[in-house]
Amino acid sequence: MSSFDFLGSEQTIFSNPDALDPDFIPKLLPHRENEQQFVATAIKPLFHGRTGISLIVSGPSGIGKTVSVKRVVMDLEEHEEADNIAKLNINCWKANTTYKVLSEIATQLGLRFIQNLKTNELINKVISRLEQYDGVVIVLDEIDKADDTDFLYHILENIKKRTIILLTNEPNINAQLDYRIISRLTPETLEFKEYTASETFDILKERLKYAFYQDTWSSEAFAELSKVASGYKDIRVGITLLKITGELAEQDSSKKVTLEHVKEATKRVSTLKPAAVNKTFKDEEKLVLDICERSSGKTTGELFKKYSKAGGEKSEKTFKRTLDSLKRKGLIKLKPTGEGFQGRSSIIEYLGPEKKITDF
Ligand SMILES: Nc1ncnc2c1ncn2[C@@H]1O[C@H](COP(=O)(O)OP(=O)(O)O)[C@@H](O)[C@H]1O
Ligand SMILES: [Mg+2]
């Protein structure tokens, strides 16, 4: 490296660091054009006063489900026909009960004085506001994480000109939803497939151009990063790697990102649980682990109730065996409380993978 390759203290290799934020929504999403088209087609009937098509969008995490649907809904802003269409986006992991979902919808609709309303009053208020629109697009992201989906029933019963899009990592979400809901929703399904290595390459290359100044990356460094990211089968990991690698290069005051920076960044993200590990996980373990994560600090009995509510079908005994298995894998801790049947009740502490991608 010649001495001219050093970065001055005021200089940076990032042209737009925000492009590496988890919430960044690029204008163009390479290799998701068809999926976006499918979503747009489901919404379009609303432009002509007809009812839309509802969708279940499924596929593993980190492959662009959320961002693709968000982009399509954002692009509606550019269409006059969509001016009087309500556009709602709810994450059912964060808003996981009927009351929370309705409050979130009310907030997005700009409704005020909703704090002290009972669920029924809130439903009525939300529905009568939605009725004022020519059509309604509701995206319910991570619907598999919702503890109850009654809100959906009310919307389906009352709002006819609608496109409801349910996003899920669980392939058989139908089984989790009430028959009353499915029969009214009559959704089409759109399955997102994992990206191939070359698609991962294109997507990350594009993101790199958004985030870094030209010529800051050697092609060998980028090729390595793309290869590592592809192994994780999750674009989020690739974006995290771009960010950490860039920061490491800057710490070195280097104007160029090198293979060594990528290797160091790779080491740092290796504390993340690779998708490969995730996949060898049985669905049952995933479900139980999810519940442990969301209810860390609760007892086995309380967790079992949540598990049954979330659609878990196994007996309490099997449930406890799954907990033991998660404990052996170092993902949870069990602390006996000395209470419960034969003193076997424990408090569950979620440990999970050491770090989450969002920690970076
Ligand atoms: N085709 C794509 N082009 C650009 N960025 C993408 C693409 N697919 C996924 N991403 C990015 O990868 C990350 C994960 O995507 P996301 O939509 O959250 O995945 P999912 O909802 O399937 O878990 C986000 O930061 C997103 O912007
Ligand atoms: Mg998502």
Side-chain angles (χ1 to χ4, degrees):
M1 190 159 63
S2 93
S3 52
F4 295 107
D5 286 335
F6 283 105
L7 208 57
S9 60
E10 298 299 308
Q11 289 177 310
T12 171
I13 57 174
F14 292 101
S15 58
N16 178 15
D18 294 347
L20 302 175
D21 276 355
D23 299 333
F24 182 78
I25 302 181
K27 179 84 187 136
L28 295 177
L29 302 169
H31 304 296
R32 284 301 180 224
E33 296 84 359
N34 293 341
E35 288 80 357
Q36 289 185 280
Q37 196 54 53
F38 198 98
V39 174
T41 305
I43 296 173
K44 215 128 180 224
L46 299 177
F47 288 12
H48 311 293
R50 298 199 303 271
T51 190
I53 298 163
S54 287
L55 298 178
I56 290 183
V57 175
S58 68
S61 68
I63 58 166
K65 298 186 299 297
T66 297
V67 75
S68 299
V69 174
K70 270 197 180 155
R71 187 72 249 177
V72 174
V73 176
M74 274 172 84
D75 288 347
L76 286 176
E77 301 295 341
E78 289 163 20
H79 291 269
E80 239 174 73
E81 303 100 308
D83 280 355
N84 200 31
I85 290 178
K87 305 156 196 90
L88 304 167
N89 196 316
I90 288 76
N91 184 304
C92 298
W93 171 270
K94 290 183 194 145
N96 62 342
T97 63
T98 283
Y99 193 82
K100 286 187 199 162
V101 170
L102 290 169
S103 306
E104 179 58 30
I105 293 179
T107 306
Q108 290 185 20
L109 291 171
L111 294 174
R112 299 171 59 201
F113 311 115
I114 54 164
Q115 285 74 16
N116 299 319
L117 297 183
K118 299 203 179 73
T119 306
N120 264 349
E121 295 166 334
L122 193 54
I123 289 170
N124 293 338
K125 208 159 176 166
V126 163
I127 297 289
S128 62
R129 179 72 187 94
L130 287 177
E131 280 168 348
Q132 293 167 15
Y133 287 92
D134 297 337
V136 178
V137 178
I138 308 183
V139 178
L140 297 165
D141 203 348
E142 311 212 43
I143 187 72
D144 47 319
K145 306 289 179 352
D147 277 346
D148 89 69
T149 45
D150 284 356
F151 64 89
L152 201 47
Y153 176 76
H154 296 288
I155 291 168
L156 289 167
E157 269 295 275
N158 293 290
I159 304 298
K160 296 303 170 200
K161 295 198 179 135
R162 64 190 186 220
T163 292
I164 295 179
I165 305 176
L166 308 182
L167 276 63
T168 170
N169 293 342
E170 288 297 320
N172 55 351
I173 184 72
N174 274 16
Q176 257 189 58
L177 292 173
D178 198 308
Y179 174 75
R180 292 180 314 161
I181 290 175
I182 282 295
S183 63
R184 284 168 176 78
L185 193 64
T186 55
E188 289 192 15
T189 51
L190 170 61
E191 198 192 327
F192 276 52
K193 299 258 188 302
E194 279 170 359
Y195 292 119
T196 63
S198 87
E199 288 171 340
T200 304
F201 185 98
D202 294 344
I203 292 165
L204 293 175
K205 192 70 187 273
E206 188 70 18
R207 194 59 76 93
L208 185 155
K209 283 193 225 150
Y210 277 113
F212 291 89
Y213 285 111
Q214 244 182 353
D215 300 326
T216 46
W217 280 72
S218 75
S219 52
E220 115 189 285
F222 178 72
E224 171 68 15
L225 181 142
S226 166
K227 198 178 89 192
V228 172
S230 177
Y232 280 88
K233 305 247 173 262
D234 184 333
I235 296 294
R236 234 170 263 137
V237 178
I239 294 173
T240 305
L241 271 172
L242 283 175
K243 185 172 162 203
I244 299 175
T245 308
E247 285 165 358
L248 289 170
E250 282 200 342
Q251 279 164 28
D252 273 358
S253 306
S254 171
K255 276 186 177 174
K256 275 242 182 231
V257 173
T258 64
L259 191 57
E260 277 60 49
H261 297 134
V262 174
K263 289 195 167 145
E264 177 57 30
T266 303
K267 262 192 234 152
R268 299 204 184 178
V269 294
S270 65
T271 51
L272 302 173
K273 193 156 35 105
V277 176
N278 247 331
K279 275 216 195 98
T280 61
F281 247 52
K282 290 182 234 114
D283 280 353
E284 184 67 17
E285 288 193 352
K286 242 192 267 169
L287 174 63
V288 175
L289 187 64
D290 257 11
I291 287 162
C292 293
E293 179 173 13
R294 301 171 74 193
S295 306
S296 191
K298 296 247 162 71
T299 64
T300 9
E302 288 168 318
L303 252 69
F304 180 68
K305 273 188 210 144
K306 288 198 177 259
Y307 161 83
S308 308
K309 235 179 131 187
E313 291 169 346
K314 299 282 156 53
S315 68
E316 187 156 4
K317 234 186 201 160
T318 312
F319 176 76
K320 282 188 178 157
R321 259 203 305 277
T322 311
L323 287 179
D324 285 336
S325 155
L326 293 173
K327 183 182 149 193
R328 281 195 301 276
K329 290 180 178 157
L331 294 165
I332 59 169
K333 244 191 200 165
L334 298 172
K335 281 185 285 187
T337 61
E339 288 166 24
F341 180 60
Q342 295 184 337
R344 289 218 313 261
S345 177
S346 303
I347 291 188
I348 280 86
E349 192 189 327
Y350 175 79
L351 304 171
E354 274 180 54
K355 271 185 183 158
K356 290 202 205 114
I357 294 167
T358 45
D359 292 343
F360 285 97

